[in-house]
PDB file of all heavy atoms in Angstrom:
ATOM      1  N   GLY A   1     112.552  97.142  83.642  1.00  0.00           N
ATOM      2  CA  GLY A   1     113.892  96.634  83.353  1.00  0.00           C
ATOM      3  C   GLY A   1     115.019  97.524  83.784  1.00  0.00           C
ATOM      4  O   GLY A   1     116.185  97.238  83.475  1.00  0.00           O
ATOM      5  N   LEU A   2     114.659  98.643  84.438  1.00  0.00           N
ATOM      6  CA  LEU A   2     115.703  99.654  84.796  1.00  0.00           C
ATOM      7  C   LEU A   2     116.085  99.546  86.294  1.00  0.00           C
ATOM      8  O   LEU A   2     115.226  99.176  87.150  1.00  0.00           O
ATOM      9  CB  LEU A   2     115.200 101.055  84.476  1.00  0.00           C
ATOM     10  CG  LEU A   2     114.767 101.362  83.018  1.00  0.00           C
ATOM     11  CD1 LEU A   2     114.391 102.863  82.931  1.00  0.00           C
ATOM     12  CD2 LEU A   2     115.859 101.027  82.040  1.00  0.00           C
ATOM     13  N   THR A   3     117.280  99.917  86.605  1.00  0.00           N
ATOM     14  CA  THR A   3     117.675 100.061  88.004  1.00  0.00           C
ATOM     15  C   THR A   3     117.096 101.333  88.559  1.00  0.00           C
ATOM     16  O   THR A   3     116.623 102.281  87.792  1.00  0.00           O
ATOM     17  CB  THR A   3     119.159 100.132  88.216  1.00  0.00           C
ATOM     18  OG1 THR A   3     119.640 101.270  87.567  1.00  0.00           O
ATOM     19  CG2 THR A   3     119.826  98.946  87.571  1.00  0.00           C
ATOM     20  N   LYS A   4     117.115 101.570  89.889  1.00  0.00           N
ATOM     21  CA  LYS A   4     116.575 102.793  90.439  1.00  0.00           C
ATOM     22  C   LYS A   4     117.462 104.005  89.969  1.00  0.00           C
ATOM     23  O   LYS A   4     116.882 105.049  89.761  1.00  0.00           O
ATOM     24  CB  LYS A   4     116.619 102.723  91.958  1.00  0.00           C
ATOM     25  CG  LYS A   4     115.705 103.758  92.613  1.00  0.00           C
ATOM     26  CD  LYS A   4     115.529 103.476  94.079  1.00  0.00           C
ATOM     27  CE  LYS A   4     114.367 104.286  94.662  1.00  0.00           C
ATOM     28  NZ  LYS A   4     113.029 103.862  94.247  1.00  0.00           N
ATOM     29  N   ALA A   5     118.749 103.767  89.821  1.00  0.00           N
ATOM     30  CA  ALA A   5     119.536 104.861  89.283  1.00  0.00           C
ATOM     31  C   ALA A   5     119.145 105.302  87.886  1.00  0.00           C
ATOM     32  O   ALA A   5     119.149 106.497  87.552  1.00  0.00           O
ATOM     33  CB  ALA A   5     120.991 104.453  89.348  1.00  0.00           C
ATOM     34  N   GLU A   6     118.775 104.305  87.126  1.00  0.00           N
ATOM     35  CA  GLU A   6     118.347 104.604  85.718  1.00  0.00           C
ATOM     36  C   GLU A   6     116.957 105.300  85.693  1.00  0.00           C
ATOM     37  O   GLU A   6     116.718 106.159  84.899  1.00  0.00           O
ATOM     38  CB  GLU A   6     118.304 103.317  84.895  1.00  0.00           C
ATOM     39  CG  GLU A   6     119.658 102.779  84.586  1.00  0.00           C
ATOM     40  CD  GLU A   6     119.649 101.357  83.999  1.00  0.00           C
ATOM     41  OE1 GLU A   6     118.742 100.601  84.360  1.00  0.00           O
ATOM     42  OE2 GLU A   6     120.605 101.065  83.264  1.00  0.00           O
ATOM     43  N   VAL A   7     116.146 104.954  86.754  1.00  0.00           N
ATOM     44  CA  VAL A   7     114.832 105.655  86.861  1.00  0.00           C
ATOM     45  C   VAL A   7     115.043 107.070  87.277  1.00  0.00           C
ATOM     46  O   VAL A   7     114.434 108.040  86.706  1.00  0.00           O
ATOM     47  CB  VAL A   7     113.984 104.912  87.939  1.00  0.00           C
ATOM     48  CG1 VAL A   7     112.671 105.739  88.145  1.00  0.00           C
ATOM     49  CG2 VAL A   7     113.601 103.517  87.476  1.00  0.00           C
ATOM     50  N   VAL A   8     116.017 107.318  88.178  1.00  0.00           N
ATOM     51  CA  VAL A   8     116.312 108.747  88.553  1.00  0.00           C
ATOM     52  C   VAL A   8     116.807 109.484  87.347  1.00  0.00           C
ATOM     53  O   VAL A   8     116.459 110.663  87.138  1.00  0.00           O
ATOM     54  CB  VAL A   8     117.370 108.748  89.729  1.00  0.00           C
ATOM     55  CG1 VAL A   8     117.947 110.128  89.910  1.00  0.00           C
ATOM     56  CG2 VAL A   8     116.729 108.286  90.998  1.00  0.00           C
ATOM     57  N   LYS A   9     117.615 108.846  86.557  1.00  0.00           N
ATOM     58  CA  LYS A   9     118.146 109.535  85.266  1.00  0.00           C
ATOM     59  C   LYS A   9     116.961 109.894  84.407  1.00  0.00           C
ATOM     60  O   LYS A   9     116.948 111.011  83.905  1.00  0.00           O
ATOM     61  CB  LYS A   9     119.132 108.636  84.583  1.00  0.00           C
ATOM     62  CG  LYS A   9     119.722 109.200  83.359  1.00  0.00           C
ATOM     63  CD  LYS A   9     120.772 108.273  82.760  1.00  0.00           C
ATOM     64  CE  LYS A   9     121.491 108.881  81.577  1.00  0.00           C
ATOM     65  NZ  LYS A   9     120.625 109.186  80.431  1.00  0.00           N
ATOM     66  N   ALA A  10     116.069 108.932  84.205  1.00  0.00           N
ATOM     67  CA  ALA A  10     114.947 109.191  83.304  1.00  0.00           C
ATOM     68  C   ALA A  10     114.022 110.291  83.870  1.00  0.00           C
ATOM     69  O   ALA A  10     113.547 111.161  83.173  1.00  0.00           O
ATOM     70  CB  ALA A  10     114.091 107.844  83.122  1.00  0.00           C
ATOM     71  N   GLY A  11     113.825 110.262  85.172  1.00  0.00           N
ATOM     72  CA  GLY A  11     113.034 111.245  85.804  1.00  0.00           C
ATOM     73  C   GLY A  11     113.641 112.630  85.790  1.00  0.00           C
ATOM     74  O   GLY A  11     112.966 113.634  85.641  1.00  0.00           O
ATOM     75  N   THR A  12     114.931 112.665  85.942  1.00  0.00           N
ATOM     76  CA  THR A  12     115.689 113.962  85.792  1.00  0.00           C
ATOM     77  C   THR A  12     115.506 114.576  84.473  1.00  0.00           C
ATOM     78  O   THR A  12     115.335 115.763  84.320  1.00  0.00           O
ATOM     79  CB  THR A  12     117.136 113.727  86.128  1.00  0.00           C
ATOM     80  OG1 THR A  12     117.317 113.180  87.437  1.00  0.00           O
ATOM     81  CG2 THR A  12     117.979 115.063  86.023  1.00  0.00           C
ATOM     82  N   GLU A  13     115.556 113.671  83.423  1.00  0.00           N
ATOM     83  CA  GLU A  13     115.400 114.198  82.044  1.00  0.00           C
ATOM     84  C   GLU A  13     113.981 114.664  81.816  1.00  0.00           C
ATOM     85  O   GLU A  13     113.722 115.591  80.990  1.00  0.00           O
ATOM     86  CB  GLU A  13     115.726 113.053  81.041  1.00  0.00           C
ATOM     87  CG  GLU A  13     117.229 112.663  81.052  1.00  0.00           C
ATOM     88  CD  GLU A  13     117.515 111.421  80.246  1.00  0.00           C
ATOM     89  OE1 GLU A  13     116.566 110.716  79.811  1.00  0.00           O
ATOM     90  OE2 GLU A  13     118.699 111.122  80.106  1.00  0.00           O
ATOM     91  N   LEU A  14     113.052 114.087  82.551  1.00  0.00           N
ATOM     92  CA  LEU A  14     111.642 114.556  82.442  1.00  0.00           C
ATOM     93  C   LEU A  14     111.350 115.695  83.406  1.00  0.00           C
ATOM     94  O   LEU A  14     110.211 116.225  83.455  1.00  0.00           O
ATOM     95  CB  LEU A  14     110.702 113.322  82.839  1.00  0.00           C
ATOM     96  CG  LEU A  14     110.598 112.230  81.849  1.00  0.00           C
ATOM     97  CD1 LEU A  14     109.972 110.983  82.479  1.00  0.00           C
ATOM     98  CD2 LEU A  14     109.837 112.644  80.646  1.00  0.00           C
ATOM     99  N   LYS A  15     112.370 116.134  84.110  1.00  0.00           N
ATOM    100  CA  LYS A  15     112.240 117.274  85.059  1.00  0.00           C
ATOM    101  C   LYS A  15     111.249 117.008  86.157  1.00  0.00           C
ATOM    102  O   LYS A  15     110.472 117.905  86.578  1.00  0.00           O
ATOM    103  CB  LYS A  15     111.971 118.589  84.301  1.00  0.00           C
ATOM    104  CG  LYS A  15     112.890 118.962  83.178  1.00  0.00           C
ATOM    105  CD  LYS A  15     112.641 120.238  82.626  1.00  0.00           C
ATOM    106  CE  LYS A  15     113.540 120.596  81.486  1.00  0.00           C
ATOM    107  NZ  LYS A  15     115.053 120.377  81.742  1.00  0.00           N
ATOM    108  N   VAL A  16     111.265 115.804  86.668  1.00  0.00           N
ATOM    109  CA  VAL A  16     110.365 115.424  87.875  1.00  0.00           C
ATOM    110  C   VAL A  16     110.832 116.302  89.045  1.00  0.00           C
ATOM    111  O   VAL A  16     112.020 116.387  89.303  1.00  0.00           O
ATOM    112  CB  VAL A  16     110.543 113.980  88.200  1.00  0.00           C
ATOM    113  CG1 VAL A  16     109.729 113.609  89.512  1.00  0.00           C
ATOM    114  CG2 VAL A  16     110.015 113.120  87.036  1.00  0.00           C
ATOM    115  N   PRO A  17     109.851 116.906  89.781  1.00  0.00           N
ATOM    116  CA  PRO A  17     110.245 117.715  90.950  1.00  0.00           C
ATOM    117  C   PRO A  17     110.452 116.728  92.097  1.00  0.00           C
ATOM    118  O   PRO A  17     109.640 116.577  93.070  1.00  0.00           O
ATOM    119  CB  PRO A  17     108.954 118.610  91.177  1.00  0.00           C
ATOM    120  CG  PRO A  17     107.850 117.717  90.658  1.00  0.00           C
ATOM    121  CD  PRO A  17     108.453 116.962  89.492  1.00  0.00           C
ATOM    122  N   TYR A  18     111.654 116.114  92.154  1.00  0.00           N
ATOM    123  CA  TYR A  18     111.954 115.101  93.179  1.00  0.00           C
ATOM    124  C   TYR A  18     111.963 115.658  94.580  1.00  0.00           C
ATOM    125  O   TYR A  18     111.833 114.952  95.582  1.00  0.00           O
ATOM    126  CB  TYR A  18     113.320 114.548  92.893  1.00  0.00           C
ATOM    127  CG  TYR A  18     113.287 113.419  91.803  1.00  0.00           C
ATOM    128  CD1 TYR A  18     114.264 113.413  90.828  1.00  0.00           C
ATOM    129  CD2 TYR A  18     112.299 112.500  91.742  1.00  0.00           C
ATOM    130  CE1 TYR A  18     114.325 112.444  89.799  1.00  0.00           C
ATOM    131  CE2 TYR A  18     112.313 111.521  90.759  1.00  0.00           C
ATOM    132  CZ  TYR A  18     113.250 111.518  89.824  1.00  0.00           C
ATOM    133  OH  TYR A  18     113.299 110.574  88.857  1.00  0.00           O
ATOM    134  N   GLU A  19     111.994 116.985  94.731  1.00  0.00           N
ATOM    135  CA  GLU A  19     111.974 117.594  96.057  1.00  0.00           C
ATOM    136  C   GLU A  19     110.550 117.484  96.684  1.00  0.00           C
ATOM    137  O   GLU A  19     110.471 117.641  97.913  1.00  0.00           O
ATOM    138  CB  GLU A  19     112.393 119.069  95.999  1.00  0.00           C
ATOM    139  CG  GLU A  19     111.424 119.964  95.291  1.00  0.00           C
ATOM    140  CD  GLU A  19     111.560 120.006  93.798  1.00  0.00           C
ATOM    141  OE1 GLU A  19     112.388 119.202  93.232  1.00  0.00           O
ATOM    142  OE2 GLU A  19     110.916 120.839  93.130  1.00  0.00           O
ATOM    143  N   LEU A  20     109.564 117.174  95.841  1.00  0.00           N
ATOM    144  CA  LEU A  20     108.222 116.993  96.377  1.00  0.00           C
ATOM    145  C   LEU A  20     107.900 115.548  96.723  1.00  0.00           C
ATOM    146  O   LEU A  20     106.906 115.246  97.299  1.00  0.00           O
ATOM    147  CB  LEU A  20     107.173 117.432  95.344  1.00  0.00           C
ATOM    148  CG  LEU A  20     107.261 118.938  94.882  1.00  0.00           C
ATOM    149  CD1 LEU A  20     106.202 119.246  93.857  1.00  0.00           C
ATOM    150  CD2 LEU A  20     107.206 119.876  96.096  1.00  0.00           C
ATOM    151  N   THR A  21     108.813 114.646  96.341  1.00  0.00           N
ATOM    152  CA  THR A  21     108.537 113.193  96.562  1.00  0.00           C
ATOM    153  C   THR A  21     108.914 112.755  97.986  1.00  0.00           C
ATOM    154  O   THR A  21     109.573 113.409  98.732  1.00  0.00           O
ATOM    155  CB  THR A  21     109.340 112.337  95.585  1.00  0.00           C
ATOM    156  OG1 THR A  21     110.722 112.517  95.730  1.00  0.00           O
ATOM    157  CG2 THR A  21     108.970 112.774  94.114  1.00  0.00           C
ATOM    158  N   TRP A  22     108.440 111.555  98.296  1.00  0.00           N
ATOM    159  CA  TRP A  22     108.741 110.939  99.582  1.00  0.00           C
ATOM    160  C   TRP A  22     108.987 109.452  99.440  1.00  0.00           C
ATOM    161  O   TRP A  22     108.187 108.759  98.770  1.00  0.00           O
ATOM    162  CB  TRP A  22     107.584 111.175 100.597  1.00  0.00           C
ATOM    163  CG  TRP A  22     107.884 110.660 101.970  1.00  0.00           C
ATOM    164  CD1 TRP A  22     107.627 109.458 102.529  1.00  0.00           C
ATOM    165  CD2 TRP A  22     108.556 111.365 103.002  1.00  0.00           C
ATOM    166  NE1 TRP A  22     108.073 109.357 103.767  1.00  0.00           N
ATOM    167  CE2 TRP A  22     108.691 110.515 104.133  1.00  0.00           C
ATOM    168  CE3 TRP A  22     109.166 112.668 103.090  1.00  0.00           C
ATOM    169  CZ2 TRP A  22     109.277 110.892 105.266  1.00  0.00           C
ATOM    170  CZ3 TRP A  22     109.742 113.049 104.291  1.00  0.00           C
ATOM    171  CH2 TRP A  22     109.777 112.161 105.356  1.00  0.00           C
ATOM    172  N   SER A  23     110.062 108.927 100.046  1.00  0.00           N
ATOM    173  CA  SER A  23     110.366 107.471  99.954  1.00  0.00           C
ATOM    174  C   SER A  23     110.462 106.822 101.304  1.00  0.00           C
ATOM    175  O   SER A  23     110.277 105.635 101.431  1.00  0.00           O
ATOM    176  CB  SER A  23     111.665 107.327  99.171  1.00  0.00           C
ATOM    177  OG  SER A  23     111.556 107.893  97.857  1.00  0.00           O
ATOM    178  N   CYS A  24     110.801 107.566 102.319  1.00  0.00           N
ATOM    179  CA  CYS A  24     111.146 107.011 103.652  1.00  0.00           C
ATOM    180  C   CYS A  24     110.076 106.228 104.260  1.00  0.00           C
ATOM    181  O   CYS A  24     108.889 106.665 104.201  1.00  0.00           O
ATOM    182  CB  CYS A  24     111.615 108.153 104.568  1.00  0.00           C
ATOM    183  SG  CYS A  24     112.109 107.654 106.207  1.00  0.00           S
ATOM    184  N   TYR A  25     110.378 105.073 104.822  1.00  0.00           N
ATOM    185  CA  TYR A  25     109.427 104.254 105.565  1.00  0.00           C
ATOM    186  C   TYR A  25     108.975 104.773 106.913  1.00  0.00           C
ATOM    187  O   TYR A  25     108.001 104.366 107.465  1.00  0.00           O
ATOM    188  CB  TYR A  25     109.959 102.819 105.783  1.00  0.00           C
ATOM    189  CG  TYR A  25     110.053 102.043 104.490  1.00  0.00           C
ATOM    190  CD1 TYR A  25     111.015 101.000 104.356  1.00  0.00           C
ATOM    191  CD2 TYR A  25     109.155 102.188 103.469  1.00  0.00           C
ATOM    192  CE1 TYR A  25     111.112 100.239 103.243  1.00  0.00           C
ATOM    193  CE2 TYR A  25     109.233 101.393 102.312  1.00  0.00           C
ATOM    194  CZ  TYR A  25     110.211 100.414 102.232  1.00  0.00           C
ATOM    195  OH  TYR A  25     110.284  99.643 101.117  1.00  0.00           O
ATOM    196  N   ASN A  26     109.745 105.760 107.386  1.00  0.00           N
ATOM    197  CA  ASN A  26     109.414 106.358 108.669  1.00  0.00           C
ATOM    198  C   ASN A  26     108.818 107.721 108.503  1.00  0.00           C
ATOM    199  O   ASN A  26     109.340 108.598 107.740  1.00  0.00           O
ATOM    200  CB  ASN A  26     110.667 106.538 109.483  1.00  0.00           C
ATOM    201  CG  ASN A  26     111.302 105.202 109.924  1.00  0.00           C
ATOM    202  OD1 ASN A  26     110.810 104.543 110.795  1.00  0.00           O
ATOM    203  ND2 ASN A  26     112.297 104.736 109.170  1.00  0.00           N
ATOM    204  N   GLY A  27     107.654 107.961 109.018  1.00  0.00           N
ATOM    205  CA  GLY A  27     106.928 109.140 108.749  1.00  0.00           C
ATOM    206  C   GLY A  27     107.201 110.471 109.563  1.00  0.00           C
ATOM    207  O   GLY A  27     106.326 111.123 110.016  1.00  0.00           O
ATOM    208  N   ARG A  28     108.499 110.670 109.718  1.00  0.00           N
ATOM    209  CA  ARG A  28     108.890 111.837 110.485  1.00  0.00           C
ATOM    210  C   ARG A  28     108.860 113.073 109.569  1.00  0.00           C
ATOM    211  O   ARG A  28     108.599 113.005 108.351  1.00  0.00           O
ATOM    212  CB  ARG A  28     110.310 111.630 111.109  1.00  0.00           C
ATOM    213  CG  ARG A  28     110.351 110.429 112.057  1.00  0.00           C
ATOM    214  CD  ARG A  28     111.719 110.385 112.698  1.00  0.00           C
ATOM    215  NE  ARG A  28     111.778 109.353 113.719  1.00  0.00           N
ATOM    216  CZ  ARG A  28     112.248 108.102 113.486  1.00  0.00           C
ATOM    217  NH1 ARG A  28     112.733 107.812 112.284  1.00  0.00           N
ATOM    218  NH2 ARG A  28     112.324 107.174 114.443  1.00  0.00           N
ATOM    219  N   GLU A  29     109.204 114.226 110.144  1.00  0.00           N
ATOM    220  CA  GLU A  29     109.223 115.453 109.355  1.00  0.00           C
ATOM    221  C   GLU A  29     110.225 115.439 108.206  1.00  0.00           C
ATOM    222  O   GLU A  29     109.992 115.900 107.135  1.00  0.00           O
ATOM    223  CB  GLU A  29     109.515 116.670 110.229  1.00  0.00           C
ATOM    224  CG  GLU A  29     109.486 118.005 109.516  1.00  0.00           C
ATOM    225  CD  GLU A  29     109.889 119.164 110.386  1.00  0.00           C
ATOM    226  OE1 GLU A  29     109.997 118.949 111.639  1.00  0.00           O
ATOM    227  OE2 GLU A  29     110.051 120.305 109.905  1.00  0.00           O
ATOM    228  N   LYS A  30     111.362 114.755 108.482  1.00  0.00           N
ATOM    229  CA  LYS A  30     112.450 114.622 107.450  1.00  0.00           C
ATOM    230  C   LYS A  30     112.716 113.095 107.269  1.00  0.00           C
ATOM    231  O   LYS A  30     112.457 112.280 108.152  1.00  0.00           O
ATOM    232  CB  LYS A  30     113.756 115.312 107.945  1.00  0.00           C
ATOM    233  CG  LYS A  30     113.569 116.774 108.224  1.00  0.00           C
ATOM    234  CD  LYS A  30     113.497 117.576 106.961  1.00  0.00           C
ATOM    235  CE  LYS A  30     113.546 119.053 107.218  1.00  0.00           C
ATOM    236  NZ  LYS A  30     113.490 119.884 105.959  1.00  0.00           N
ATOM    237  N   PRO A  31     113.211 112.707 106.124  1.00  0.00           N
ATOM    238  CA  PRO A  31     113.583 111.319 105.895  1.00  0.00           C
ATOM    239  C   PRO A  31     114.660 110.918 106.888  1.00  0.00           C
ATOM    240  O   PRO A  31     115.494 111.706 107.311  1.00  0.00           O
ATOM    241  CB  PRO A  31     114.151 111.358 104.470  1.00  0.00           C
ATOM    242  CG  PRO A  31     113.562 112.542 103.826  1.00  0.00           C
ATOM    243  CD  PRO A  31     113.464 113.504 104.904  1.00  0.00           C
ATOM    244  N   CYS A  32     114.592 109.643 107.317  1.00  0.00           N
ATOM    245  CA  CYS A  32     115.567 109.160 108.274  1.00  0.00           C
ATOM    246  C   CYS A  32     116.965 108.908 107.733  1.00  0.00           C
ATOM    247  O   CYS A  32     117.936 108.893 108.470  1.00  0.00           O
ATOM    248  CB  CYS A  32     115.031 107.846 108.980  1.00  0.00           C
ATOM    249  SG  CYS A  32     115.064 106.427 107.834  1.00  0.00           S
ATOM    250  N   HIS A  33     117.071 108.676 106.408  1.00  0.00           N
ATOM    251  CA  HIS A  33     118.341 108.354 105.764  1.00  0.00           C
ATOM    252  C   HIS A  33     118.958 107.050 106.278  1.00  0.00           C
ATOM    253  O   HIS A  33     120.157 106.830 106.049  1.00  0.00           O
ATOM    254  CB  HIS A  33     119.298 109.538 105.884  1.00  0.00           C
ATOM    255  CG  HIS A  33     118.693 110.788 105.419  1.00  0.00           C
ATOM    256  ND1 HIS A  33     118.488 111.040 104.079  1.00  0.00           N
ATOM    257  CD2 HIS A  33     118.322 111.931 106.038  1.00  0.00           C
ATOM    258  CE1 HIS A  33     117.970 112.281 103.942  1.00  0.00           C
ATOM    259  NE2 HIS A  33     117.880 112.789 105.108  1.00  0.00           N
ATOM    260  N   ILE A  34     118.196 106.235 106.954  1.00  0.00           N
ATOM    261  CA  ILE A  34     118.763 105.041 107.494  1.00  0.00           C
ATOM    262  C   ILE A  34     117.992 103.774 106.964  1.00  0.00           C
ATOM    263  O   ILE A  34     118.640 102.698 106.747  1.00  0.00           O
ATOM    264  CB  ILE A  34     118.655 105.029 109.087  1.00  0.00           C
ATOM    265  CG1 ILE A  34     119.477 106.169 109.659  1.00  0.00           C
ATOM    266  CG2 ILE A  34     119.052 103.675 109.665  1.00  0.00           C
ATOM    267  CD1 ILE A  34     119.269 106.317 111.125  1.00  0.00           C
ATOM    268  N   CYS A  35     116.780 103.849 106.799  1.00  0.00           N
ATOM    269  CA  CYS A  35     115.970 102.677 106.337  1.00  0.00           C
ATOM    270  C   CYS A  35     116.424 102.305 104.900  1.00  0.00           C
ATOM    271  O   CYS A  35     116.998 103.050 104.156  1.00  0.00           O
ATOM    272  CB  CYS A  35     114.481 102.959 106.361  1.00  0.00           C
ATOM    273  SG  CYS A  35     113.835 104.198 105.150  1.00  0.00           S
ATOM    274  N   GLY A  36     116.036 101.096 104.468  1.00  0.00           N
ATOM    275  CA  GLY A  36     116.485 100.606 103.132  1.00  0.00           C
ATOM    276  C   GLY A  36     116.121 101.504 101.969  1.00  0.00           C
ATOM    277  O   GLY A  36     116.965 101.662 101.076  1.00  0.00           O
ATOM    278  N   THR A  37     114.903 101.990 101.981  1.00  0.00           N
ATOM    279  CA  THR A  37     114.443 102.780 100.848  1.00  0.00           C
ATOM    280  C   THR A  37     115.187 104.128 100.817  1.00  0.00           C
ATOM    281  O   THR A  37     115.461 104.656  99.736  1.00  0.00           O
ATOM    282  CB  THR A  37     112.929 102.958 100.831  1.00  0.00           C
ATOM    283  OG1 THR A  37     112.538 103.595  99.630  1.00  0.00           O
ATOM    284  CG2 THR A  37     112.467 103.825 101.952  1.00  0.00           C
TER     285      THR A  37
END
């Protein structure tokens, strides 16, 4: 029932190491910052 922004907030409170995560649909070395995700 939460938006993605609210999930980020909850994860930040849980101290999730977001620097280790990956969301980009393109599998390059760095995220493309262009795709929808």
